[in-house]
Each structure stands twice: as structure tokens, then as C-alpha cells.
Amino acid sequence: TEPRATRREQTPHRPPFRLVHRVKTMSAAIQIARAGIAPTARRPHRLSSRRPHQLHRAVSNNRTKNRLALRPAAVLTPPPPPPSPARTDAERRAEEALLAGDDSDGTIAGFTKLEWSCIQTPARYLGNEVGAVHKDWDSAQVRFTMAYPEIYEVGASNLGHVVLYTILNNQPGMLCDRAYLPGDDMLQLLKSKNRQLFAVESKRPLKHFDALGMSLAYELGAVNVLEMMHLSGLPLTWAGRDDEPDEVWDVDHGSWPLVFVGGPTATSNPEPIADFVDFVALGDGEDVMVEIGQCLKKTKAEGLNRQETLFRLATEVEGIYVPRFYDSPKGWGGAVFPTREGVPERCKRRVADPDPLLQVGLVPYVSTVHDRLTVEIRRGCTRGCRFCQPGMLTRPARDVPPEKVVQAVEKGMRETGYNEFSLLSLSCSDYLALPSVGLEIKNRLRDENVTLSLPSQRIDRFDDSIADILGGAGKAGLTFAPEAGTQRLRDIVNKGLTNDELLHGVQTAYDRGWRNVKLYFMIGLPGETDADVLGIAETVDWLQKTVGGNKARKRDRLTLTLTLSNFTPKPHTPFQWHSVSTEEFARRGKLLKDALAKVPNVKSNWTSIRISAMEDFIGRGDRSLCDVVRRSWELGAHKATWWDGAESSFKSFDQAIEEAGLTWKYRQVVNGEWDVLEKLGDGEYRGQGGGGKGRVDRGALADSRLDAPLPWDHIDTGIAKWWLKADLQKALEGITVPDCSHSGVCTECGVCGDEFGENVVAEVPPLPVFQGHYEPDGRRTQRLRFRFTKDGKESFIGHLDTLRLLERACRRASLPVSMTRSPYSSRPRISTAMALPLGASSEAEMMEIVLTERMNPEDVRARLAEELPAGMRLTEVEDMPVKYLNGRYMETMNELLQSAEFLVHVAVPGAAAKPAIESIGGDAPSWDVEGGGAFFDAGKNGDGIPDASADEDDADAAAEAAAEAEIAAAVAEFAKAVTPADWKHWVASAMALEKFEISKTSKKGNVRVVNLRPQLLGLEHMDQPEIDDSLKGRHVPMPAVCPPGTAILRFKGEYTGAGGLSVEGMCQMLSHVSNVAITPLHSHRVRIDLGEPTPPVVDKLWLDNIVRAEAFMALERRWDPAAGVNNRGHMGGGNKEGDRIDNHRSYRVEEPPEKTSKKKNKK
């Protein structure tokens, strides 16, 4: 048995086809016999009186472990390498310094500055956003990581992710960091460095945390959950992460973290991932996450083992489902039953009230999917749409008090600096206080250029008040969801929308200025016929002709954008038993496409049929699908997105399904196993026109398939299964069910009560008077010019993200920034002199802000400095004139830009190790003094899985490697031989060039030749005393003493608004004269030069006229004071037009009177 202290360090270097775990092959009886102990007699089971779950409670967890560990021999891989020796104290201290993110030399999380510069959007992984929390690691009793299994742009904008992160960090003794699925470039960097996925705040590997939580919001996201676990160095199954029974669960001493998931998909049906997670958090997470943390505090203090820790969670924290304590016996339709006494037979979903004040959190520096403040106004929906799973899983409906919503939005907009916010709910229109709340917020923030957006809303409640909320400059788009094209089908699915309401909503939107409206429709709904499918095209055509009409001007025509998705049945809904064949989906889709082709001004977006089928297969699957999910991940389903690389993902899943022997099960989904409304038109059933009284849910004609056990029956959502069957019968009859929150009619779904709470409908406040839309304040009263630094982590924030950062910082500082007067998108007048390359540092960045009111420059500097990150320090502020005397505005910095000066650290080949990855876009590789990547076997597919047919003893490969090593050694020797004299000679040769021409290709493909030599204004090699003097007191990641083969140059290049000579261009010139590939390691901008403003040419005529007029008025005042001169330039007291002074009259030539033509006189 290996030492526990090193077991956690045994991380496979490449993705295995399976994880080999220790399996106990001896039964308990054999172990007892070898020990010489007589087995204890047991009372036989009463099989006839026991329920299935009681029969399986006695089943040992070893059976499940064996099933997880034993895999087909065809996919076995060699065992992992032996454990590395225990680390010394010095090595541990070095690792702690690495994890602390020491960036004094540009190294962050163990990656060098050049490696960070090669990554696309490195700000994703820095953890320095506004609102990020950095808590002390050692003082935390329980450490969480909220890992979102999608890229940063998706995860950082997820409201639940941000809320749970905030709540956990608000708890004493608890620490919570974040992690995201890395991009392809970061993934390559991690593998090349043999590093594991880390948390963005502490930069520690995820396996160092006590609990790793992931959100599963999408069925096909299960493969990303496995990818996150693999990148974290964790065994993929809960059995593989298990400790010995006598071992205390302690992550600090070698135990694996607890892996859990939450989110709507995990709450709906966790069985397809049950083999991989230690537990599942069901329902809302605000309360249950705190209880999990408190429970883990106790179990760690008591020194419990892993299994007993999980048992405590399952029995003491409501809403926790631990798959290891349950089993799915064959012959029960995938139903799940407990195997250990004490755990609940059905696990209840947790319900929590939304708190919008907790939703004011992170402000990412990069542009995310939902790049705005999001405030939840209502949780839950009781509309009762029969296809909608969220509406069933989030009951009861709970409104947020209107005053709390207004407070949260005001607080959030001022603390985050966003200029857009969204009010979130499953159905915002069902929040009856929305018009009052929206208008109140718009009135309060009327002067702050704020835009409101709403998700899909009910078209029957769209009126002038909602239009006022959404209107104004930069108004958001409108999205409505009719779902079906005919009234009959809308009644079947309980949509509760009429054609008149649909027309009224679209007409209101058109009248209020919207010319593009988005509509959501579904095909494949239960009870759908071809007439219903064609009804979508007929409805769209009717709306076009009725609302838009035949407008002469193209911009006045109504454009409808349709999103057409395939209906996918979801668990815990009345349609959970339904299925439609993919062939039928394709036929109906073609039918609709042909019909829509005849309707003008319509755009349509279609969902992939195969994606819908795969969602259905996994979403309603049982525990046997764990093998499919895992095998599809091994085959690379996680590497291709479901939209861009769908075909590759389909092949992976098809192969995984075939290997698991579940092709028959998938065919049931593809072929459409059962249409739950197949009795439509059957006269024996009630409501079908034949006078029959049969029902599908009960009675003599009931369908027994509705009573079959389902894989998700052990999840208690609060909705009774009998109610779902009864609602299915109402769908058969076309009966709509009212919204119980607003109608006062209880539908007896079973949710309301002490366990899940009651519907909460907020009192609607009076509707305030709308004070009008935002009017940009374009006054230019004061212009302030700042100089600031950009170094440390902030040097990895791109230029456009930096501009967005500065705008939001000004809003948080409440500065009265002048706005452009664009009627469509008003922008603040904030500008920088020139962009800084990604990864470069600077002490000379320049920014100008134009204000509408005069302020003390130092006060502005102090207020703005508080809102900027640590690496951006304001060093100077200068009050600049706004206009010339003639009223013309002064030139911008971009117009005055002349040159920039840099300190550049450069190297010849062999002087520095390669970065672990290439530059973005396939540029020439960069080099790094501190770096150097480990070898990584990428395999044929580049996925890190070694090819099975690879021959490690290949003689050609060995010879090639030896040749490369010999070349590398020769290059290294050359680098050592380069002296400062060589650098000075190369610099002088570059300066002596008469011309240096390169070819540049524009985005349109046009090629032009550019001479770079005139743009090189200065270049000199810096000796050691100059280096010491230049680097003193500066935060520059450059070595104090240049290693052999490297040098620090002072470079000055010409820059104008049209471009200039970059550091890379200068290195090209040096490479040309030296015949050696010279590469920049780091550049630091020390100066930006601006030209002098060009004053306007003096208009002598205008000045002479002004002096002449002033002289006349002075004489008038002196000799005739009673007459006076008014402020409009009139002399004397008369108001006739002839009294006005004409400053140009004395200089004009007397014009002859206009001659009248004879023709005009005749006419």
C-alpha cells in the first residue's frame, strides 16, 4: 500500500481509457474463514413481504464498486506510473510560493509571462475581477471550488454560479474559489507543463480543496463534468476516490475531494452521472450550500471517514442525494432504491427565496455572454406549460418585493459600473409589479445612460408600460414565445395564448418602434398534426401582412426572426412519457421550411434533430448511461462543440452507445417509442367527440405504461406523479389550467405546503409617471488627461477590455462624463492615446476624460484611483483646454500621437527556453528565459491520448530526437558566445539601413509594400549601468543582469493614428542585419510623445470686424449713454433689423441691384 501522503500526487499524465482501482475480490465469507472466525447466523429474508428497495438494502457497495472498476479488456491501458517520492520541505515551500501567484518576474501560477501572452484572453484565468474574493487559505476550515464546466465567458455570467460563490465567501471559516473549463490553448499549456486545472483566485489545483462543485444545466454537459475532473487530476468515479474504511477523510493528508453537482439537469435526473459524483445538491442552492459547509466542518472535526461523511450529508442535510447509498436493480425500468438504512427513500428538492442583493457580485474584465447586471425578480412559474421542465422544478412561485428589486438595481449599477441590467425570471410578465418597478428604475437612473433588457416574455402582457421600460437609446430586442402555430395546439400544451393577444403584442411593439421581433416555436409537440406545423407559417404570414403591411420604405417593414426547436420531453412534466421519431422531425421540418420560404422578411434558426435526440436519450436515461457518458468522453465528445463540431460528437456517442450494448434503447428514442396523445380522436375517451368517458390516467381504459417506474422517481420535486398523469388527460381533452398564483384556483399539484412553501405574489405599487428616456449630456466643460501604469496581472487585459474597464471605473466613481449624442448608442468620451500589446507593461499610458462639470483634478484622480485594479496606478493628471478661442475643439491624443519609447528584452535562439505553446494565430514562437515545457505525447488526434499503435522504440524517431538535441546544443553554444559587442554592432547596422521593406496584407487581401526604416527613430543597446539606472524603482519583469544571448534595448518608434513601427517590426530589422532570429521576451513602454496642438489660422477679417464693432459701441456708450447697447449687438434702443451691427458691411463691395428679366416681367 502506497503512503497516503503521496497518493493524491499520483495523477495520470494522459487521459486513460479507464481508471484502474483496487477491487476487493474476496468475499466477506472467505475473509472470515481465513481469520478463523465462525460466521454469525442470519435470519432469512421474507422475500414475499419485502419491497424491491428493501431487498437491495443488504447489497454491499462492493458490487457497485466492482461494476465501476471492471471494464472491457479492449479499453484497458497500462497502470499509472509509480508514485513520486515525498516532497521535501523546500519543495513544499517552493510550491506554496508558486501557488501564491508571485508575479514579480511575470510568472503567474507557474506559467511564464510569454506563455500567458500566447493564450487567447488570459484575463479569464487571473482571478482579479472586481468583486473577486481572496481569503486566507490556512484559516479556512472548509474550502470549496465552484467549478463551472464551460468556458469563462459562459460561467462567469451565470447568476447561480456568482450567487453561491458570494454566499460561501460570506460565511466565516469557509473559502470558495472558482474554476472554469479552459480554452484549447490553456488546455495545451496545462498538458505541456504537466499541470492540473487550478482555481483562478488562489491558483491552487482543484484537488487541494475539500469539495468541488459543478453546475449541470444541460444534458450534454455531462462530458464536460468528466473533463473538469480529469483536468483536476481526480479519479472519475466515486469508487475510485474512496478511502480505506479505517482512514480519516482529510484532503490535506491525501484524501480526494468530494465531487458534487447541482443545477436543473442534475435535479431533474442525476442518474446518468451517478457513478461519477459523491453527492448531488437538489434544487435551490442558497441554503443547502451553507448547510453542506457546516456539516463538513463537523465531520472534519470529528475525524470521520469518507463514507460516514457522506452518510452525514445524506441524513442531516435535506436535499442531498448520495448515489453510493442507492442502487438500480435490473427489471425495474431504471428505478432507484436505497441500499443503506437511514437514507431517505425519496430525496427532496430544496426551495429558497431569491435575494437580489446577493446577486451583485463579479464584474469580469472580459466580455461575457451576459455582460450586464442580472437581478432576479421572481423564482418559479405556475403557468403550467406542459412541456416546460423549469416551470415544474421551481414551484412555488415567489415574487421579490418591488422595493428590494429597485434597491438591488440601484446598488448594483453603482457598484459594478454596468450600463445595462436585466430583470430575470422564467416569465417576467408574470411579475405583476414589473411595469411599476421598471418605470421607477428608469426614472431614478434617467440621467445615467442605463438600458434594461428582459428575457423571453409573455406577449399577452406586452403593453405601453413595458415598451417605455425597454425603449430609449440602445433599446434591447424583443423575444416572444408563442410555441405553437394554432390555437388548438396551444391549448393542448396549456400555453394560454390567443391569436388576438399575439397580434396585439406584435402590433404594440411595431407601433413603439421595434422593426425586428423574435418568436420561438416548437415542432414535435404531443398532438401535433401537419396543419399545426403549417400553422406556424400561416401565423407568421398573417402577422407580416396585418402589422407591417406593404410598406414602401424597407426600414419600415416588420422582420420576424424565428427560432424553431424540436420538442424534447423532460422528466417531471406531463409529457415525460412522450417521444417523437427523428424521421418525423425531419419530415415536419421540411414541410415548414417549404412553407416559410414563401413568406417575406422572415429569418429562421433551426435546432439540430440529432442534438435533440441525444438530449432526450441522456435526459431521460438511467444509471446504465454512465458507461455511455464516460466512453463518449474518452472518445473525445467534449472536445468538439455541439454546434460547430456536432458530427464528431455524434460519432463518439454512437460508438459509446454501441459498446455499452444500449443501441436498442437509443433506437426507442430515435424511432419515437410512444406518442402519449395517440388517443386523440378516439371516441372511447373523454373529450374526443364520441361520447366516451375513458381516461388515460385512471379507470378501465387507463394506460398501464404511465404507472411504470422511472429512473427519476426517487427525486421528490413536490409535484405528485398522479397529478402529472391527470394533467396529461387534460392535454388530451384540450383543457387549459389557470395560473394558480394569479387566478386563486389551486390545481392541487402537491407543491404548496410546509415542505416547499406557498406561492408569494408581491403587492403591486402604483404606476409612476414616466419621465422620459435618457437624453445624452454632450457638454464638454472640462478635459482631463491622465498618465497611468499597466503592469502585473493587468498587463494581460486586452485593449478593448481595458477601455471597458475604464468606462465602468468612471461609472463606479460617479464622474460626470460627457457622452456622444448618437441617437442609437451613446458612448462616454473616454479615450486612450494608443493600444498596448497584450502582455506588455507600461508606465506611460495616457487617457483623456471629458466631463460635463468642472471638478478638482486631484479629486477626480483620487476617486478614479479607488476603482482601478492594482496594476493600473494613476501617476499624473493635467487639466487640458477643451476649445480654441475660435470655438473649435482641440485635437485628440490620437491625432497628436508622434512616437513611443520602449525598453525591450530580446534574445537570440538558444538563449531562452521555448514557451510551452505557440503564439496565438500561428505566429513565430516566442522565447522565455524562465520557461521550458515538459514533453507531452499528443497522439495522432492531438488529444493527449497516446496512439495504441505507437512504437516507442522506433529507430527513426530516436535518430530524429538525437539530431534535434544536437542542434539544440549547438544553438545554445552559439547563444553563449554572443557578446554585448555583437548586439551593439547589430543595432548600429539596423540604424544604418537605408530602407527595410516588408509586405502587408489587408483584411480584404490587398498587398502593399511598406518601408519600416523611416519609422525607426532610435535604437540603442543598454550597458549594465544603464540597465541598473533604468530598472531602478520600476515594476518591470526584466532581469537585472541579462543572461547570455539576451540584451535590453531602448527602442523609439514612430506612431501615428494610422499605425507605426511595433516591437516585432524592430526585431525583424535586427534579425535581417544579424542573420539570426531575434525574438522579444518582454517590452515595457516608458514614454509616449504627443505633438503640439495646431492652433487655427487667425481670421484677420473676423478680428477686425469685432474690433470695429466694439469701437462703435464704446463711442455710443460714451457720447449717448441713454441709448445703451443690448446684449444682442444692437446699438441704440431700437429693435429694428437695421439697428443690428453687420460686422462685414464695411468690407463688402456694394452689390448692384438685382436686374429683373423681361421674361419674368411678362409673366
Side-chain angles (χ1 to χ4, degrees):
T1 302
E2 66 272 17
R4 291 189 62 216
T6 61
R7 187 170 57 217
R8 187 179 61 189
E9 308 304 324
Q10 299 179 30
T11 303
H13 297 283
R14 51 183 68 93
F17 285 120
R18 79 172 188 87
L19 296 175
V20 181
H21 305 301
R22 187 186 301 110
V23 180
K24 298 180 180 179
T25 57
M26 295 184 297
S27 67
I30 296 177
Q31 296 182 38
I32 292 175
R34 288 186 176 180
I37 303 174
T40 305
R42 295 185 178 182
R43 185 177 60 184
H45 293 293
R46 292 185 178 179
L47 301 181
S48 59
S49 62
R50 292 204 172 201
R51 296 177 60 191
H53 69 271
Q54 292 174 318
L55 291 176
H56 286 82
R57 277 179 178 169
V59 177
S60 169
N61 282 329
N62 286 337
R63 190 183 79 176
T64 306
K65 288 186 180 182
N66 293 345
R67 180 173 61 84
L68 298 179
L70 297 178
R71 298 289 177 189
V75 297
L76 290 178
T77 55
S84 57
R87 295 169 296 171
T88 64
D89 291 340
E91 290 171 335
R92 288 181 181 276
R93 287 195 298 271
E95 181 185 17
E96 292 297 327
L98 176 72
L99 297 175
D102 181 13
D103 61 348
S104 58
D105 61 347
T107 299
I108 302 175
F111 301 132
T112 60
K113 188 201 74 64
L114 258 297
E115 288 168 338
W116 281 106
S117 300
C118 292
I119 296 173
Q120 185 177 13
T121 320
R124 297 169 173 173
Y125 315 102
L126 298 179
N128 61 339
E129 309 98 320
V130 175
V133 181
H134 298 261
K135 300 184 76 171
D136 181 63
W137 178 268
D138 295 326
S139 62
Q141 298 170 275
V142 180
R143 307 178 184 105
F144 287 90
T145 298
M146 299 308 298
Y148 202 88
E150 293 287 350
I151 61 173
Y152 177 89
E153 285 81 350
V154 177
S157 61
N158 181 271
L159 182 61
H161 176 76
V162 174
V163 168
L164 296 182
Y165 171 77
T166 304
I167 288 176
L168 287 174
N169 279 316
N170 286 343
Q171 304 301 314
M174 296 186 194
L175 174 149
C176 183
D177 284 1
R178 296 167 293 129
Y180 305 94
L181 190 68
D184 292 340
D185 44 12
M186 174 56 81
L187 181 61
Q188 180 185 352
L189 183 59
L190 288 170
K191 290 180 178 179
S192 62
K193 287 284 189 123
N194 200 18
R195 290 285 308 278
Q196 291 153 3
L197 188 61
F198 54 86
V200 296
E201 284 89 357
S202 64
K203 305 298 185 295
R204 293 177 179 268
L206 301 191
K207 66 180 183 180
H208 287 192
F209 291 80
D210 296 314
L212 170 61
M214 288 177 277
S215 177
L216 188 60
Y218 178 49
E219 292 87 352
L220 302 183
V223 290
N224 285 349
V225 171
L226 296 187
E227 177 69 0
M228 294 283 283
M229 293 167 61
H230 164 69
L231 294 177
S232 305
L234 303 176
L236 298 187
T237 62
W238 60 258
R241 296 187 296 272
D242 220 354
D243 294 329
E244 294 297 328
D246 59 341
E247 292 179 348
V248 174
W249 175 68
D250 188 349
V251 176
D252 290 335
H253 292 84
S255 298
W256 297 106
L258 298 178
V259 178
F260 68 98
V261 294
T265 301
T267 299
S268 168
N269 180 19
E271 291 311 299
I273 57 169
D275 288 352
F276 311 121
V277 298
D278 292 292
F279 66 91
V280 181
L282 305 172
D284 298 337
E286 289 93 331
D287 298 333
V288 73
M289 288 302 301
V290 177
E291 296 175 18
I292 290 171
Q294 298 295 345
C295 184
L296 292 181
K297 276 186 183 181
K298 296 178 184 177
T299 58
K300 291 181 70 175
E302 296 176 16
L304 299 183
N305 62 20
R306 188 184 191 91
Q307 183 169 345
E308 293 305 314
T309 297
L310 290 169
F311 184 72
R312 284 282 188 89
L313 286 172
T315 55
E316 294 186 2
V317 181
E318 191 174 65
I320 297 300
Y321 167 57
V322 182
R324 70 186 296 161
F325 299 141
Y326 298 79
D327 198 9
S328 177
K330 292 183 179 180
W332 286 88
V336 176
F337 306 101
T339 60
R340 176 163 176 174
E341 294 287 349
V343 297
E345 294 183 13
R346 300 189 70 206
C347 300
K348 292 180 181 178
R349 168 181 63 94
R350 291 297 294 268
V351 176
D353 294 332
D355 185 355
L357 294 177
L358 292 174
Q359 298 160 8
V360 180
L362 291 170
V363 183
Y365 290 142
V366 303
S367 179
T368 59
V369 174
H370 302 293
D371 200 12
R372 53 182 173 263
L373 174 69
T374 301
V375 173
E376 190 175 15
I377 59 176
R378 190 174 197 252
R379 184 173 298 179
C381 179
T382 52
R383 276 281 179 176
C385 298
R386 296 182 174 112
F387 56 82
C388 182
Q389 184 189 66
M392 301 295 172
L393 288 181
T394 57
R395 296 187 179 198
R398 289 140 288 157
D399 286 358
V400 178
E403 61 276 7
K404 202 168 186 178
V405 175
V406 176
Q407 178 188 358
V409 172
E410 271 197 299
K411 176 177 180 288
M413 298 303 288
R414 290 185 169 87
E415 291 185 1
T416 62
Y418 282 119
N419 67 335
E420 183 179 356
F421 70 97
S422 175
L423 300 179
L424 180 65
S425 174
L426 288 176
S427 178
C428 288
S429 303
D430 289 332
Y431 184 69
L432 301 183
L434 177 62
S436 300
V437 168
L439 289 177
E440 180 65 25
I441 295 173
K442 289 281 283 190
N443 289 341
R444 293 192 185 189
L445 303 179
R446 182 175 178 270
D447 299 328
E448 299 187 27
N449 189 26
V450 170
T451 302
L452 166 64
S453 63
L454 295 175
S456 176
Q457 49 192 305
R458 291 190 63 87
I459 196 170
D460 53 330
R461 285 189 172 162
F462 183 78
D463 54 16
D464 289 335
S465 297
I466 304 298
D468 288 336
I469 295 173
L470 298 175
K475 61 186 178 183
L478 287 180
T479 303
F480 302 117
E483 308 296 357
T486 63
Q487 188 64 55
R488 185 192 71 89
L489 192 55
R490 286 197 288 267
D491 290 342
I492 287 177
V493 301
N494 200 43
K495 184 61 183 177
L497 177 67
T498 66
N499 289 332
D500 291 339
E501 292 169 336
L502 178 60
L503 175 61
H504 177 267
V506 176
Q507 185 68 60
T508 302
Y510 183 85
D511 294 341
R512 296 302 301 268
W514 277 272
R515 295 295 179 263
N516 188 3
V517 176
K518 298 180 181 179
L519 300 177
Y520 283 170
F521 291 96
M522 283 193 289
I523 60 175
L525 288 164
E528 184 182 64
T529 63
D530 288 353
D532 298 310
V533 176
L534 295 175
I536 296 176
E538 293 171 359
T539 299
V540 171
D541 188 34
W542 170 64
L543 289 174
Q544 283 279 15
K545 294 178 179 178
T546 307
V547 177
N550 297 320
K551 301 295 183 183
R553 293 192 305 177
K554 187 175 181 180
R555 65 180 183 180
D556 288 337
R557 298 172 188 170
L558 175 65
T559 300
L560 296 177
T561 301
L562 310 184
T563 298
L564 298 129
S565 60
N566 309 301
F567 169 62
T568 304
K570 302 291 185 181
H572 306 288
T573 66
F575 292 158
Q576 64 182 351
W577 297 276
H578 181 72
S579 61
V580 181
S581 70
T582 56
E583 293 182 0
E584 188 63 16
F585 273 130
R587 188 190 68 82
R588 295 179 186 180
K590 185 179 184 305
L591 185 68
L592 182 55
K593 285 181 181 179
D594 293 341
L596 288 174
K598 304 173 184 178
V599 183
N601 299 324
V602 172
K603 302 176 184 178
S604 58
N605 303 312
W606 297 79
T607 304
S608 169
I609 296 175
R610 293 199 62 186
I611 287 180
S612 300
M614 196 60 65
E615 290 174 2
D616 187 8
F617 181 62
I618 296 177
R620 294 192 294 171
D622 55 25
R623 197 171 287 197
S624 65
L625 263 64
C626 291
D627 292 337
V628 174
V629 172
R630 176 170 179 169
R631 184 61 178 138
S632 62
W633 168 79
E634 293 171 349
L635 294 171
H638 62 285
K639 292 180 295 184
T641 65
W642 283 100
W643 307 106
D644 300 330
E647 197 60 35
S648 175
S649 298
F650 289 140
K651 290 180 180 179
S652 301
F653 264 99
D654 288 344
Q655 182 178 342
I657 291 170
E658 183 178 355
E659 291 182 8
L662 295 175
T663 303
W664 63 273
K665 192 177 185 68
Y666 182 55
R667 288 299 157 205
Q668 287 181 339
V669 174
V670 172
N671 296 332
E673 180 184 13
W674 180 25
D675 181 0
V676 294
L677 293 186
E678 61 189 2
K679 302 302 182 183
L680 277 173
D682 190 337
E684 295 186 14
Y685 288 84
R686 196 170 74 179
Q688 303 309 305
K693 297 185 178 180
R695 297 173 61 100
V696 295
D697 60 327
R698 62 178 183 266
L701 298 180
D703 197 319
S704 60
R705 291 175 290 184
L706 297 178
D707 296 320
L710 297 171
W712 52 88
D713 281 345
H714 61 294
I715 305 299
D716 184 4
T717 65
I719 297 180
K721 192 173 182 180
W722 68 263
W723 184 86
L724 296 177
K725 295 190 296 182
D727 204 42
L728 180 62
Q729 171 63 33
K730 293 179 181 179
L732 179 65
E733 301 178 40
I735 299 175
T736 58
V737 177
D739 185 347
C740 61
S741 294
H742 305 304
S743 67
V745 178
C746 179
T747 60
E748 299 182 353
C749 67
V751 170
C752 292
D754 295 335
E755 294 180 343
F756 296 96
E758 305 279 349
N759 292 328
V760 177
V761 180
E763 184 178 352
V764 180
L767 191 68
V769 177
F770 181 51
Q771 298 177 6
H773 295 297
Y774 166 75
E775 293 292 338
D777 189 350
R779 293 176 297 157
R780 306 187 201 183
T781 306
Q782 185 179 24
R783 183 170 66 125
L784 298 180
R785 180 177 295 173
F786 298 87
R787 292 184 183 271
F788 64 95
T789 66
K790 191 178 180 186
D791 52 39
K793 293 180 180 179
E794 282 67 37
S795 63
F796 299 107
I797 301 176
H799 177 64
L800 294 180
D801 295 330
T802 299
L803 293 178
R804 191 182 303 108
L805 181 158
L806 294 172
E807 290 179 11
R808 291 174 179 171
C810 289
R811 291 193 193 97
R812 292 195 296 271
S814 300
L815 299 180
V817 181
S818 175
M819 307 293 294
T820 61
R821 295 184 182 274
S822 168
Y824 303 104
S825 180
S826 183
R827 303 291 302 173
R829 287 193 169 97
I830 302 173
S831 60
T832 56
M834 58 184 297
L836 185 68
L838 186 69
S841 59
S842 174
E843 63 186 65
E845 295 305 283
M846 301 178 71
M847 168 182 63
E848 282 189 350
I849 303 177
V850 180
L851 304 179
T852 61
E853 302 173 7
R854 293 205 64 84
M855 299 181 65
N856 186 316
E858 289 300 328
D859 291 344
V860 175
R861 174 184 173 183
R863 288 167 60 174
L864 187 56
E866 293 179 358
E867 306 300 335
L868 292 176
M872 298 176 68
R873 301 175 297 278
L874 299 177
T875 57
E876 297 178 15
V877 60
E878 185 179 359
D879 198 342
M880 306 295 296
V882 178
K883 294 181 180 181
Y884 290 106
L885 293 177
N886 69 342
R888 197 190 83 186
Y889 287 106
M890 303 282 288
E891 294 93 339
T892 64
M893 291 188 297
N894 190 264
E895 295 171 332
L896 298 176
L897 187 61
Q898 289 186 335
S899 63
E901 186 175 322
F902 294 84
L903 299 179
V904 187
H905 189 200
V906 294
V908 298
K914 276 187 177 183
I917 61 174
E918 292 184 353
S919 299
I920 299 171
D923 297 333
S926 302
W927 308 86
D928 182 25
V929 173
E930 305 294 336
F935 172 76
F936 173 69
D937 185 2
K940 290 181 179 178
N941 300 321
D943 55 5
I945 301 179
D947 307 317
S949 60
D951 187 356
E952 297 179 353
D953 298 327
D954 184 34
D956 294 338
E960 184 179 352
E964 290 180 356
E966 184 178 353
I967 294 174
V971 170
E973 288 298 323
F974 166 77
K976 293 180 181 178
V978 175
T979 64
D982 295 325
W983 285 107
K984 292 181 179 180
H985 173 68
W986 294 339
V987 167
S989 301
M991 293 296 296
L993 288 174
E994 294 184 0
K995 65 178 181 178
F996 182 74
E997 295 181 340
I998 63 171
S999 298
K1000 284 190 174 183
T1001 304
S1002 66
K1003 293 181 179 179
K1004 295 182 178 180
N1006 300 324
V1007 180
R1008 61 189 181 97
V1009 177
V1010 179
N1011 183 14
L1012 297 183
R1013 179 57 189 89
Q1015 300 176 9
L1016 179 63
L1017 303 181
L1019 184 64
E1020 60 178 292
H1021 175 267
M1022 299 178 65
D1023 294 326
Q1024 192 59 48
E1026 295 177 287
I1027 295 175
D1028 295 340
D1029 184 60
S1030 298
L1031 298 184
K1032 185 178 180 181
R1034 284 174 168 160
H1035 188 73
V1036 183
M1038 292 184 182
V1041 178
C1042 291
T1046 70
I1048 296 180
L1049 308 178
R1050 186 182 297 275
F1051 156 63
K1052 185 176 182 180
E1054 180 186 55
Y1055 284 90
T1056 64
L1061 180 62
S1062 64
V1063 171
E1064 287 74 15
M1066 178 271 293
C1067 289
Q1068 286 184 5
M1069 299 175 70
L1070 280 179
S1071 300
H1072 173 72
V1073 297
S1074 65
N1075 201 25
V1076 175
I1078 295 178
T1079 309
L1081 303 179
H1082 181 72
S1083 58
H1084 178 78
R1085 187 147 62 197
V1086 296
R1087 183 183 178 88
I1088 294 177
D1089 294 319
L1090 302 180
E1092 292 295 329
T1094 303
V1097 178
V1098 176
D1099 189 346
K1100 294 184 178 180
L1101 175 63
W1102 183 79
L1103 290 177
D1104 288 346
N1105 287 336
I1106 290 293
V1107 172
R1108 188 183 188 90
E1110 290 290 343
F1112 276 118
M1113 287 187 287
L1115 291 173
E1116 183 75 19
R1117 286 193 297 268
R1118 180 174 180 84
W1119 301 108
D1120 188 8
V1125 180
N1126 62 25
N1127 59 3
R1128 293 187 179 182
H1130 293 280
M1131 295 200 307
N1135 290 325
K1136 298 180 181 180
E1137 186 65 26
D1139 293 336
R1140 181 185 295 273
I1141 299 176
D1142 187 344
N1143 297 329
H1144 298 273
R1145 183 174 297 171
S1146 60
Y1147 286 87
R1148 290 177 183 168
V1149 179
E1150 191 70 18
E1151 297 179 358
E1154 184 179 358
K1155 294 182 180 180
T1156 306
S1157 65
K1158 296 181 180 179
K1159 293 182 180 180
K1160 287 184 179 181
N1161 291 335
K1162 289 180 181 180
K1163 289 182 181 180

